[in-house]
Amino acid sequence: MLDTLEAIYQESLAALRDAASSAELEAWRQATLGRKGSVQLQTRRLGELPTEERPAFGRRVNEIKQALQQAYEEQAARLRAQDLEAQMASEAIDVTLPGRKPWRGRLHPATQTLRQIYRIWGDMGFQIYRSRDVETDEYNFELLNIPQHHPARDMWDTFHTTEPGVLLRTHTSPGQIRAMHEYYPEPIRLIVPGMCYRYEQQTARSEFQFNQVEGLAVGKNITLADLKGTLAEFARRMYGADRAIRFRANYFPFTEPSAEMDVYFGLETEYDRRLTKGTGWLEILGCGMVHPTVLRNGGYDPEIYSGFAFGMGPERIAMAKYGIEDIRYFWSNDLRFLEQF
Ligand code: PHE
């Protein structure tokens, strides 16, 4: 019987070494040291032995149990370490690898230019005034001294809505009237940025949708010199002191006198010639002294108040600043263009 016991001991030790996972290890424990395990069963056979052999047999069974228990724990520790190592190997992170650059969005060049414009006018004391994109004929034309059937209406080909007298604003100038109605009798110094819409042919110079930034200053003793000086200062801050600008007399129904301001663009390339119509100059804004009728329509007595107004095109301003050759790039959403800014 003692021989059987020793044989079981050796077999068990060998089986333990073969246990390669915690599941196998647990199965081994049940089969060997469990309540009905092979070693436990040997103790039950004590009664089959003559009395004098029983103590030695019992002692040996206990020794074997202890030895197997210890071997079991060692094997369990080995398996745990092995599992941990496998896990660490499979989850390893190579911290020396260069990181992946996160993809960053950016502001649209028109937005960037608008923000530069806001900053410049803000520094000069002009607040931002928001006005609506969908306007009435009254505000877009009539109150700006452009009556029905006036030939000057041809300057603004209009998108009309199905609602009579309701249209998409063709310029930000109706914001002048709305601001005057809101602020009378306070002095005014504000800009009105926003989209404008014109039902016209698209070319490299003009889109049917574009931003404008209207400017309006109303107060006492505002003169044409203020207008010229303020716009020249704007150009200096936008383009730098060495960039040439010029004013050209022009006509707008809502200003008198009226002018346009050009920035020198260049005449070196074929493209410069095309964009500037062979002159080298790019028009970036219209301006003038607010017409007395318009002041009156806004609630301001032209005998007491005067003012100047301007309307600039941020897309044109960006073209002149960055040498962009075609205004249609702005709203065609081509990333090859947009990502250059
Ligand atoms: N509203 C004019 C345009 O769209 C620009 C302008 C604004 C001219 C204010 C004079 C004064 O062409």
Side-chain angles (χ1 to χ4, degrees):
M1 248 177 71
L2 207 54
D3 290 346
T4 315
L5 180 65
E6 296 298 340
I8 288 173
Y9 177 37
Q10 292 308 324
E11 278 165 24
S12 297
L13 270 183
L16 182 61
R17 276 193 295 273
D18 291 341
S21 69
S22 49
E24 282 178 32
L25 191 65
E26 176 58 17
W28 178 91
R29 199 187 59 77
Q30 299 267 355
T32 311
L33 298 170
R35 222 159 40 79
K36 288 185 179 160
S38 53
V39 176
Q40 198 61 29
L41 287 178
Q42 292 302 306
T43 48
R44 303 215 185 143
R45 301 183 62 197
L46 214 56
E48 294 170 26
L49 286 171
T51 318
E52 63 278 8
E53 288 181 19
R54 287 180 192 173
F57 186 80
R59 214 179 301 119
R60 185 64 190 142
V61 170
N62 278 334
E63 280 170 11
I64 287 173
K65 270 203 228 171
Q66 272 170 23
L68 284 177
Q69 180 67 31
Q70 196 187 337
Y72 163 80
E73 274 157 26
E74 282 166 10
Q75 180 70 352
R78 237 192 320 278
L79 281 181
R80 269 197 303 278
Q82 195 180 301
D83 285 353
L84 190 65
E85 232 158 87
Q87 192 186 357
M88 289 201 299
S90 71
E91 293 175 6
I93 295 170
D94 183 352
V95 294
T96 65
L97 275 179
R100 284 194 201 97
K101 258 201 181 154
W103 190 85
R104 282 173 73 205
R106 66 194 76 205
L107 293 173
H108 192 283
T111 307
Q112 292 183 31
T113 309
L114 275 169
R115 290 190 176 184
Q116 279 175 290
I117 293 172
Y118 298 163
R119 146 81 37 102
I120 292 172
W121 288 112
D123 286 349
M124 292 203 270
F126 285 67
Q127 76 182 84
I128 293 181
Y129 182 81
R130 296 276 173 191
S131 188
R132 59 193 67 185
D133 285 37
V134 180
E135 264 298 358
T136 60
D137 187 277
E138 186 188 13
Y139 277 85
N140 195 79
F141 292 119
E142 272 167 58
L143 293 172
L144 290 167
N145 200 28
I146 318 166
Q148 292 286 346
H149 310 302
H150 191 286
R153 285 210 179 197
D154 289 350
M155 294 167 76
W156 298 277
D157 298 299
T158 310
F159 283 108
H160 295 274
T161 69
T162 49
E163 186 74 19
V166 179
L167 42 81
L168 297 182
R169 65 176 171 197
T170 59
H171 50 179
T172 42
S173 298
Q176 289 186 32
I177 305 287
R178 295 199 177 273
M180 283 192 274
H181 286 170
E182 190 165 329
Y183 291 114
Y184 178 81
E186 302 294 325
I188 290 176
R189 247 196 269 175
L190 50 80
I191 55 170
V192 189
M195 265 303 168
C196 299
Y197 309 86
R198 286 187 200 171
Y199 185 61
E200 63 183 30
Q201 182 73 39
Q202 291 189 50
T203 68
R205 300 160 51 95
S206 41
E207 254 280 20
F208 61 74
Q209 163 185 345
F210 54 94
N211 280 293
Q212 263 195 353
V213 178
E214 193 81 6
L216 177 68
V218 176
K220 293 172 184 166
N221 307 316
I222 292 180
T223 68
L224 185 64
D226 294 319
L227 170 62
K228 276 190 80 174
T230 308
L231 287 175
E233 179 60 20
F234 169 81
R236 216 166 8 252
R237 296 189 189 196
M238 190 70 185
Y239 295 108
D242 46 359
R243 192 72 173 268
I245 56 163
R246 71 176 185 188
F247 290 88
R248 269 180 303 106
N250 195 29
Y251 168 75
F252 295 106
F254 33 87
T255 45
E256 181 59 36
S258 304
E260 285 186 320
M261 191 171 98
D262 300 340
V263 179
Y264 191 70
F265 191 84
L267 207 49
E268 282 93 61
T269 67
E270 178 54 35
Y271 149 69
D272 291 349
R273 269 190 288 282
R274 208 160 13 96
L275 186 72
T276 64
K277 290 181 177 164
T279 65
W281 296 89
L282 189 68
E283 172 212 327
I284 62 162
L285 62 86
C287 61
M289 300 306 290
V290 182
H291 194 286
T293 303
V294 173
L295 280 173
R296 206 173 297 116
N297 290 343
Y300 286 76
D301 183 351
E303 297 295 326
I304 303 169
Y305 296 94
S306 56
F308 65 74
F310 57 83
M312 50 179 52
E315 282 86 75
R316 287 280 185 86
I317 288 171
M319 289 168 84
K321 191 168 170 96
Y322 301 117
I324 297 165
E325 26 191 282
D326 194 315
I327 200 167
R328 287 166 293 196
Y329 285 141
F330 281 95
W331 311 115
S332 56
N333 281 339
D334 187 335
L335 287 179
R336 287 170 304 178
F337 169 71
L338 297 175
E339 286 183 342
Q340 294 175 37
F341 299 90

